[in-house]
Amino acid sequence: MSNYLYYIVPVLGGYTLTSVLLLRNPHLLHKKKQTAIQCQHISHRGGGGERIENTLEAFTNAVDNGTDLLELDCHLTRDGQVVVSHDENLLRETGHDINISDVDYAVRHFSTGKDRRIALLEDVLKQFPHTAVNIEIKEDNEPLIKKVSDLVKKYDRESRTVWASVKSDIMKKCRAENPNMPTMFTFQRGLLLLLMYYTGLLPFVPLSESFLQTYMPSIINRGSFGGLLEPSTMVKLTKPKTFQAYLDNCHRRYSCVHCRAHLASHDDLISKSFQGSQGRAYLFNSVVNVGCGPAEERVLLTGLHAVSDIFCENCNTTLGWKYEQAYESSQKYKEGKYIIEVSHMIKDNGWD
């Protein structure tokens, strides 16, 4: 045994010292990568915690606040348009259970924010020519990969646009389509990176990737990270206000979280399965203390609708929208009904 140790100890010692040396001085073995992107801050989904995710409004807000890189995901519509959306299925984002690949692109309005359009990738690249963009490809879709590559080439931004994908087989196709774009580590390659680091092999292995993206543990659980604030944290103590209507006699009611004006009775609740701009929304048969804006036609995934934005008449907060008219027979049940986002309501009277 001692004879084996006589050889093993020096070899392991030399390997360890060499690994540490090269880890601290990688330029001794590898050529330093020259990238046009110096990134420490990434706006995931365009900074979706502050604006409606993946909209031009969200991207503009992120750039105005000094982000280094816009992170987004792309999918292909039935008519071949490259759109920016985190999910292929739009149930979470719009409340409609349909895939992007099954519909044609049109200007659609889904939520109550200022910007309600699903953005085209081309519009993002055109509007932010000097901002780095990380494009994640989630699906094994070669036409999508080619169209994304063509758009990046069209706007001459290969050095400022990063390929990203969780899956290594998809990343391989992205690199084959456009090898001039820098790449992000896939999940599998990220695990391999950790393995090589802890075994000391990392300094000896050349890496084709240029970027590694991860979440900061200090902000993962914050309310702005895709979650809703508790109503109690948003209520301001103000002097009592006179509401136009009261629901004091109902057993359970919903009130405006911002001013406590009564909004609806639980007896008028129709469905909890709708989606607003910042999360879940409820459909009500009738509401009080709510005003309506002008009606306009909007092409939704379930067909053409005439809708009006609604607001609290006490504090003027936009709450959701009213379905004025539905042009598809299957959607007629929505007519005259109201959508209110959960983030704008608080439960009052008789819930305990």
Side-chain angles (χ1 to χ4, degrees):
M1 183 66 181
S2 59
N3 290 334
Y4 288 110
L5 292 177
Y6 181 79
Y7 295 102
I8 293 176
V9 171
V11 171
L12 288 178
Y15 170 76
T16 302
L17 290 175
T18 304
S19 178
V20 172
L21 175 65
L22 293 177
L23 187 63
R24 294 184 177 182
N25 303 277
H27 60 277
L28 295 177
L29 190 60
H30 306 289
K31 183 179 179 181
K32 184 177 181 180
K33 290 182 181 291
Q34 300 292 334
T35 63
I37 304 173
Q38 301 296 321
C39 180
Q40 292 183 325
H41 180 278
I42 298 174
S43 292
H44 186 239
R45 307 185 198 178
E50 299 176 9
R51 296 292 188 274
I52 301 174
E53 67 179 55
N54 286 323
T55 59
L56 290 177
E57 181 186 17
F59 296 132
T60 300
N61 179 68
V63 171
D64 290 344
N65 282 279
T67 192
D68 299 316
L69 184 144
L70 299 172
E71 189 276 342
L72 53 86
D73 311 88
C74 288
H75 298 277
L76 202 61
T77 62
R78 184 171 57 187
D79 57 343
Q81 295 290 332
V82 181
V83 297
V84 179
S85 173
H86 183 269
D87 304 341
E88 156 66 2
N89 185 280
L90 292 173
L91 179 62
R92 179 186 63 84
E93 297 176 5
T94 70
H96 304 293
D97 188 6
I98 191 169
N99 294 330
I100 290 176
S101 56
D102 294 331
V103 294
D104 295 335
Y105 179 79
V107 177
R108 299 179 177 90
H109 300 267
F110 295 116
S111 50
T112 58
K114 180 180 179 181
D115 186 354
R116 289 161 275 187
R117 295 169 296 172
I118 293 179
L120 289 170
L121 175 62
E122 184 167 13
D123 291 339
V124 177
L125 300 183
K126 188 187 304 182
Q127 187 163 331
F128 308 102
H130 305 298
T131 304
V133 175
N134 175 76
I135 300 176
E136 182 172 352
I137 307 296
K138 294 182 180 295
E139 54 188 294
D140 191 351
N141 187 329
E142 294 184 13
L144 170 62
I145 294 172
K146 186 179 188 316
K147 283 181 176 287
V148 169
S149 175
D150 290 343
L151 285 171
V152 171
K153 291 177 182 177
K154 177 180 178 180
Y155 290 96
D156 191 25
R157 50 173 302 129
E158 289 175 296
S159 62
R160 299 186 304 281
T161 308
V162 183
W163 282 124
S165 183
V166 174
K167 300 178 180 179
S168 294
D169 56 340
I170 296 178
M171 178 59 74
K172 187 179 297 184
K173 293 182 179 181
C174 292
R175 290 178 61 85
E177 181 63 40
N178 194 333
N180 296 321
M181 291 171 58
T183 58
M184 191 82 68
F185 277 89
T186 64
F187 179 75
Q188 182 180 355
R189 289 281 293 174
L191 292 179
L192 181 61
L193 181 73
L194 288 175
L195 178 63
M196 291 191 296
Y197 175 80
Y198 285 109
T199 58
L201 289 170
L202 182 59
F204 302 99
V205 180
L207 300 173
S208 58
E209 295 87 353
S210 300
F211 300 97
L212 175 66
Q213 176 182 325
T214 185
Y215 298 116
M216 295 177 64
S218 60
I219 68 170
I220 284 179
N221 292 322
R222 288 187 184 177
S224 61
F225 191 79
L228 295 176
L229 293 175
E230 290 293 328
S232 59
T233 66
M234 296 188 288
V235 174
K236 296 180 180 179
L237 296 177
T238 59
K239 294 180 179 180
K241 296 181 179 180
T242 302
F243 309 139
Q244 291 187 1
Y246 290 85
L247 297 172
D248 289 338
N249 295 327
C250 69
H251 178 57
R252 292 181 293 179
R253 64 173 176 253
Y254 299 91
S255 298
C256 176
V257 75
H258 309 286
C259 67
R260 295 299 182 99
H262 301 172
L263 295 177
S265 166
H266 184 67
D267 294 336
D268 287 316
L269 176 64
I270 299 173
S271 173
K272 297 182 178 181
S273 62
F274 283 74
Q275 190 77 10
S277 62
Q278 301 297 327
R280 297 168 57 204
Y282 292 176
L283 180 69
F284 290 95
N285 185 57
S286 64
V287 294
V288 297
N289 297 314
V290 167
C292 291
E296 61 180 17
E297 290 187 344
R298 298 176 186 171
V299 181
L300 305 178
L301 288 176
T302 52
L304 183 65
H305 293 70
V307 299
S308 303
D309 288 335
I310 62 173
F311 58 90
C312 174
E313 290 188 324
N314 193 60
C315 64
N316 292 320
T317 298
T318 301
L319 303 171
W321 61 87
K322 178 185 179 183
Y323 290 102
E324 300 287 358
Q325 186 175 1
Y327 298 96
E328 299 289 339
S329 58
S330 62
Q331 305 301 312
K332 286 291 186 179
Y333 75 96
K334 298 178 183 176
E335 291 184 347
K337 308 303 189 298
Y338 301 82
I339 285 290
I340 300 181
E341 295 184 5
V342 174
S343 60
H344 295 306
M345 295 187 296
I346 188 172
K347 295 177 179 179
D348 273 341
N349 191 37
W351 289 92
D352 297 330

